[in-house]
Amino acid sequence: MSVDEMVGRALRDLADEVRPEHDPYSRIRTRHRRSRRRRNAAVATTVAGALAVAWVTVGPQNAPEPPPATGFDAQRTWEQRLADTPVRGKLAAADPGYLADVARLIGEHRRGGLYLTRYAVRETHILYLDDVGPWRIAIVAFALADPGASAWTQASAVFRAPKGATAAELTRIEALNSYSDGLGPFTHVEFVNEGKTSTAAVVALAPAGCTVFSAAWPDLDRWQAEPTGSYLVRDASTVRAEWWRIECGGRIREKTPAPYDTGILPITDQVVTQELRTARGTPDPQLAREALEGERTPLGPAVLSGLPRVVWGGRITWPGGDAAGRTGVTTVVAAPRVAGGWAGTVSIRYDRDTGTGLGIGRGFTTEENPADPHTTVAVRLDDTASGVLVITPKTATGVRVLVGGAVVAQAPVANDAAVVTVADPLSAEFEALDATGRVVGRTRINQPPIDGAIDGWSTV
């Protein structure tokens, strides 16, 4: 799946307690851009000639409509629609005076140099204002005076104070929870409770006219429209492992797991012990735990339909890419995805590293369970390099690589795996052979799937 532009980048000029907000879940947004095929030149010429005759015959007409925006221009159009959406939240509707005070104080503090001074702002829009759980929350968009053609048109900020806070308390610098150089078409915020032990408040906003749907994890078989329509609110009593789907004009614009951790699929000592027992190779226990936890957390555990698995672990020398010639312990983990298939990561901890944790990581996808000891798994060791790690069944003693039916590489198996170098790994077929030369496993490197049902925000 392709990557949506990040809506924020870290800023360094404010107080330490103010945290720049990124959109960490943009990595899983699918952008399915549809192209329109042009008619052939003869038809185009005929149509153009007809239009020219009509112009001369009947006189001037209205200027033609510009073509619909696409790509980032379309995303900025959706962002503007979100910024123009009337404020959401029961508090905003019930107390217009309070809403006006919040907007006024934010503007005064910003112009006075208290915060957000990096932005040249035309207008300030309060997008959401209400109490959720233990917090009073304000989500604010700032229309930028001169954003440039390649930047978002809106900056944004989130203010948080205890439930029932006055307008002055909600707009203090201590209440500025996060800010971003962008707003984006769909924005969401999540807050934990005061003890930082669980999610206590969630707000997600889509543009007016859109509908937010949700479905419980892991089955996702019953999508329900949120009663609030174009936005979603959760507190401690309603937060759950779930997915969200945003539809606008009958088209699915986004489908994403709720970006908070409800504690599902925990990596316990028992899980690690079991995985070390069933994994191929000789995985390092601590690095295996780190890899399992890493596979669970980046996109949120609701992306998964089951616990991550350790596929293989052992020592290899990487043949190319950023880690070329470096030796260390490599760990391969994978987990089943709600959307189907498996996805995982291959990573290395270099021998000479003085720090802790895993080094370079490379993602992969596969339709079958790579942790099944009877499967053959091929994973690239680097995006641009030709090195491939082939994990084999226990009975395999060798690996061969075929391109177009011809053998282009071979390697012996050691510790249930072999490293081969292939000029074009995506075109190759990888076979695992036993001592008699019989093929005991066969695989190819899969490309990540594209969800064609999701239109994304790159069309209007």
Side-chain angles (χ1 to χ4, degrees):
M1 293 178 283
S2 58
V3 180
D4 197 9
E5 287 86 352
M6 299 294 288
V7 300
R9 61 177 180 268
L11 309 177
R12 299 188 295 268
D13 57 341
L14 292 182
D16 289 341
E17 60 265 46
V18 180
R19 175 173 55 86
E21 182 77 27
H22 294 269
D23 181 356
Y25 303 95
S26 62
R27 289 173 296 176
I28 64 171
R29 298 176 180 175
T30 304
R31 296 289 177 265
H32 185 65
R33 302 180 180 179
R34 305 183 183 276
S35 62
R36 302 175 182 268
R37 297 185 179 274
R38 296 183 177 178
R39 299 173 185 266
N40 60 55
V43 174
T45 303
T46 301
V47 173
L51 289 175
V53 172
W55 179 270
V56 173
T57 302
V58 302
Q61 303 294 311
N62 292 331
E65 290 291 329
T70 59
F72 187 53
D73 288 339
Q75 294 175 39
R76 299 208 311 175
T77 298
W78 284 111
E79 179 192 47
Q80 187 62 53
R81 291 182 183 180
L82 175 57
D84 292 340
T85 299
V87 61
R88 271 76 69 93
K90 295 178 181 178
L91 175 60
D95 194 343
Y98 183 92
L99 173 65
D101 286 343
V102 169
R104 174 181 56 81
L105 288 169
I106 289 174
E108 290 178 358
H109 292 330
R110 187 187 58 78
R111 290 188 296 271
L114 183 61
Y115 46 60
L116 305 175
T117 56
R118 64 179 286 125
Y119 302 119
V121 175
R122 292 188 296 105
E123 294 180 290
T124 299
H125 299 271
I126 308 295
L127 304 182
Y128 182 85
L129 180 62
D130 207 353
D131 290 330
V132 183
W135 306 114
R136 176 156 290 186
I137 299 169
I139 302 175
V140 186
F142 302 96
L144 300 176
D146 186 20
S150 61
W152 294 110
T153 62
Q154 309 281 326
S156 60
V158 178
F159 294 83
R160 180 193 65 175
K163 180 178 180 178
T166 65
E169 292 169 335
L170 184 59
T171 57
R172 297 188 307 168
I173 190 171
E174 292 82 3
L176 177 56
N177 179 80
S178 60
Y179 57 93
S180 171
D181 286 356
L183 174 64
F186 176 62
T187 190
H188 47 81
V189 296
E190 304 80 38
F191 299 107
V192 295
N193 58 15
E194 292 185 355
K196 299 183 178 181
T197 58
S198 62
T199 302
V202 178
V203 179
L205 306 176
C210 299
T211 302
V212 179
F213 294 81
S214 63
W217 175 90
D219 295 329
L220 308 186
D221 57 356
R222 188 182 177 189
W223 289 93
Q224 293 184 314
E226 289 297 308
T228 44
S230 62
Y231 70 104
L232 171 149
V233 177
R234 297 282 186 266
D235 61 19
S237 66
T238 57
V239 71
R240 62 177 182 171
E242 63 182 353
W243 278 59
W244 301 337
R245 189 177 75 202
I246 299 87
E247 295 187 11
C248 310
R251 300 170 68 178
I252 300 175
R253 297 294 177 174
E254 187 160 338
K255 187 177 177 182
T256 181
Y260 46 78
D261 193 342
T262 58
I264 58 174
L265 304 175
I267 306 301
T268 63
D269 290 343
Q270 291 78 6
V271 167
V272 175
T273 299
Q274 176 63 23
E275 289 304 306
L276 292 173
R277 184 179 300 121
T278 59
R280 284 174 280 184
T282 51
D284 176 271
Q286 181 58 35
L287 297 182
R289 175 184 286 275
E290 292 178 16
L292 288 170
E293 292 173 344
E295 194 64 28
R296 177 188 178 274
T297 55
L299 305 180
V303 171
L304 314 181
S305 61
L307 281 164
R309 304 290 309 277
V310 178
V311 179
W312 183 87
R315 297 181 55 79
I316 62 172
T317 299
W318 286 39
D322 293 339
R326 302 186 70 175
T327 301
V329 177
T330 292
T331 307
V332 181
V333 295
R337 270 10 186 200
V338 164
W342 289 66
T345 306
V346 51
S347 53
I348 185 171
R349 168 71 181 276
Y350 304 127
D351 285 343
R352 292 188 175 88
D353 283 354
T354 56
T356 59
L358 299 170
I360 186 173
R362 170 70 168 87
F364 67 93
T365 61
T366 179
E367 290 301 315
E368 58 185 354
N369 176 7
D372 182 337
H374 303 291
T375 60
T376 300
V377 184
V379 293
R380 298 183 72 176
L381 297 178
D382 190 272
D383 286 328
T384 59
S386 54
V388 177
L389 174 67
V390 184
I391 303 164
T392 66
K394 291 284 187 181
T395 57
T397 60
V399 165
R400 71 182 175 194
V401 186
L402 297 91
V403 175
V407 176
V408 296
Q410 299 184 76
V413 169
N415 200 24
D416 305 326
V419 175
V420 292
T421 299
V422 188
D424 184 7
L426 295 180
S427 68
E429 183 176 50
F430 302 87
E431 293 182 339
L433 311 174
D434 66 11
T436 68
R438 183 173 63 95
V439 176
V440 294
R442 182 180 287 112
T443 192
R444 288 181 175 273
I445 294 175
N446 293 333
Q447 291 284 66
I450 296 175
D451 188 345
I454 299 179
D455 294 286
W457 301 103
S458 295
T459 58
V460 177

